[in-house]
Amino acid sequence: QITLKESGPTLVKPTQTLTLTCTLSGFSLSTNGVGVGWIRQPPGKALEWLALIYWNDDQRYSPSLNSRLTITKDTSKSQVVLTMTNMDPVDTGTYYCAHGGCSGGRCYNYWGQGTLVTVSS
Amino acid sequence: QSALTQPPSASGSPGQSVIISCTGTSSDVGRYNYVSWYQQHPDKAPKLMIYEVSKRPSGVPDRFSGSKSANTASLTVSGLQAEDEADYYCSSYAGSDNFVVFGGGTKLTVL
């Protein structure tokens, strides 16, 4: 059974760096073809794709946030970490990690429950 | 401003069919057969309903179907049921630079 769970701070101050961890279960990030992505959703608004990392460490980023995002993996810990620098109140929202198990990481068939991050001083 | 355009709302009565559109460009929806649809109930994580334009993951009822014509993809929900009331989001692969883009979402109401 594939599950993902996000963890990290619920409150960050403007200009701080956000670090979120996605803990994986039921699959391995060392398996050929596997990818894990991050998607966020401001309160009451649409989903926004952020980043993806593949089993081979290939990374993809949203062009609009590329300069602020870093995605890494620790296969031994079954974790994927997303860092976002220079946080702003507009970055407030629910952050999801998801298993990119279809279409070569271009769609997401298993999602974590999401973690709400509020950016406020 | 989302990259893909969806109608903000759609509705239908139980048993009816409803179609939700998703309009992109020749750089995303029109170029690749990597359109996906997600269902999201309030305060829940999204659920994949359709991928690669018209494929259904295991467990998704065949009342849900997808199609594409030029730069517009569509999700059809047939035989509407109360539990289909949710937000629906489309997404598309947009090439190696933009990778994945989402639509603004459509709130489906079952009357």
Side-chain angles (χ1 to χ4, degrees):
Chain A
Q1 180 189 1
I2 291 176
T3 63
L4 305 93
K5 187 171 185 178
E6 306 87 351
S7 58
T10 58
L11 179 65
V12 297
K13 290 180 169 41
T15 75
Q16 286 187 335
T17 294
L18 171 69
T19 300
L20 294 174
T21 300
C22 177
T23 302
L24 320 174
S25 178
F27 71 101
S28 172
L29 247 182
S30 60
T31 302
N32 195 319
V34 172
V36 172
W38 286 92
I39 300 100
R40 72 177 179 179
Q41 185 173 35
K45 295 188 178 181
L47 300 170
E48 179 184 15
W49 182 82
L50 299 178
L52 169 74
I53 190 164
Y54 284 106
W55 85 102
N56 61 358
D57 218 30
D58 190 15
Q59 298 143 39
R60 295 285 185 265
Y61 295 100
S62 165
S64 62
L65 294 167
N66 185 34
S67 63
R68 299 173 54 205
L69 294 174
T70 303
I71 188 170
T72 59
K73 64 180 177 65
D74 185 331
T75 305
S76 64
K77 293 183 179 179
S78 291
Q79 291 180 335
V80 172
V81 175
L82 181 76
T83 60
M84 180 180 288
T85 61
N86 195 24
M87 294 292 285
D88 184 272
V90 299
D91 296 314
T92 293
T94 298
Y95 286 71
Y96 296 98
C97 62
H99 176 259
C102 49
S103 306
R106 300 171 180 91
C107 65
Y108 300 92
N109 46 352
Y110 295 93
W111 293 62
Q113 63 190 23
T115 186
L116 177 60
V117 177
T118 301
V119 184
S120 174
S121 55
Chain B
Q1 188 85 8
S2 299
L4 306 179
T5 300
Q6 298 180 236
S9 63
S11 63
S13 299
Q16 288 186 333
S17 294
V18 65
I19 299 174
I20 299 172
S21 63
C22 170
T23 302
T25 69
S26 57
S27 298
D28 39 61
V29 174
R31 184 167 186 175
Y32 304 100
N33 288 323
Y34 289 123
V35 175
S36 304
W37 289 90
Y38 299 88
Q39 177 192 65
Q40 186 179 35
H41 287 109
D43 299 319
K44 297 293 186 182
K47 174 186 176 183
L48 181 67
M49 304 300 284
I50 296 287
Y51 69 102
E52 292 176 10
V53 177
S54 59
K55 297 180 180 178
R56 272 188 313 276
S58 174
V60 172
D62 59 7
R63 303 185 294 102
F64 292 85
S65 62
S67 62
K68 189 186 86 166
S69 176
N71 297 339
T72 298
S74 299
L75 173 71
T76 300
V77 185
S78 306
L80 271 174
Q81 299 182 5
E83 60 261 34
D84 298 334
E85 185 163 294
D87 293 327
Y88 290 84
Y89 293 92
C90 63
S91 76
S92 175
Y93 179 61
S96 59
D97 290 335
N98 288 310
F99 213 72
V100 171
V101 290
F102 279 95
T106 298
K107 182 176 181 60
L108 174 60
T109 300
V110 180
L111 302 170

